[in-house]
Amino acid sequence: MTEDQLSAGGRLRRLLEDGELVIAPGIFDGVTAHLVRLMGFRAGYLTGAGVAAAGLGLPDLGLVGMAEMVDRVSMVAGVLGATPLIADANTGYGPPPSVARTVRAYERAGVAAVQLEDQAFPKRCGHLPGKELVSVDEYLGQLGAALDARTDALIIARTDARAVLGLDAAIERGNAYAEAGADVIFVEAPRSLEEITVIAREIRAPKLLNVVAGGLTPEIDQAVLRELGYAIAIYPTTALLAATNAAVAALRGIGGDAAVPPPISRMEDFFRLVGLDDWFAVSEKWSPAKSL
């Protein structure tokens, strides 16, 4: 079968079968989608954090709905054309029936792969504190619904357990998700090259590494990631932070001098630009106290 005859998922599967590390830059709007295609990247990554901030002026706290994300998936997939799109689907936007609906909608919009995470709703950026997890059994139900619903797209299972339960628990969850049928395993926010190496050795499935500019995971030379056997490396915030800092400099140049933020180098600082503290205040005021 020729490349032109392959489906979106089929093109990504062929890339993974080739054994080369797939670099997928973060896409958050039409311009970055065009740049990823024109600059020759073999895949793109639709970042939920980027869509929330650049598209809707919101921090990555589970405030963006499924329909809003599907709209962006459709636009970006259309711009990318034959370049496969990996898309963030957060927690799947609900219980297993909602997850199944999400996967079907993402597929109709043109994705090659759907990423689902095991955070409890409302989720938050994987590089912010205060995350909570669903149980393994609950996530396996969501994952099973996704696998049953998909007809073409790869399913990427993300665990945020490293920050909540530790690296061993994250690896245990990753292997459980792989055994359940996930195509690619994504352990969020390892803190060192040593942890990245352990994940590569211990997870028995194709692996994705999330390289977040301004996040908790160190940037590792791509040659090292290839040697370790990672299948995909996503760079969701590289262009996002660069564009933000360039915009600050440009606006300063035409007279913007009030409350100018310093160069943004951390994701927490970036999200403060789009109201992180205000939304945290709403949550703290109105969320019920947890029983001990």
Side-chain angles (χ1 to χ4, degrees), residues 18 70 90 140 154 172 272:
D18 289 344
V70 169
N90 295 308
L140 288 175
L154 284 74
E172 184 176 346
R272 286 201 165 88

Side-chain angles (χ1 to χ4, degrees), residues 88-115:
D88 186 356
N90 295 308
T91 62
Y93 307 102
S98 298
V99 174
R101 179 173 180 247
T102 295
V103 170
R104 290 169 184 162
Y106 271 50
E107 280 199 333
R108 286 194 299 271
V111 297
V114 179
Q115 173 200 305

Side-chain angles (χ1 to χ4, degrees), residues 70-153:
V70 169
D71 182 65
R72 283 302 173 104
V73 169
S74 179
M75 180 274 289
V76 170
V79 171
L80 288 179
T83 303
L85 176 64
I86 301 165
D88 186 356
N90 295 308
T91 62
Y93 307 102
S98 298
V99 174
R101 179 173 180 247
T102 295
V103 170
R104 290 169 184 162
Y106 271 50
E107 280 199 333
R108 286 194 299 271
V111 297
V114 179
Q115 173 200 305
L116 297 164
E117 63 200 55
D118 62 2
Q119 283 195 53
F121 184 84
K123 61 89 60 180
R124 59 179 57 189
C125 172
H127 293 252
L128 288 175
K131 297 185 290 185
E132 297 180 12
L133 305 176
V134 298
S135 70
V136 171
D137 286 344
E138 185 173 348
Y139 183 77
L140 288 175
Q142 295 169 329
L143 177 59
L147 292 168
D148 274 355
R150 64 98 176 262
T151 59
D152 175 59

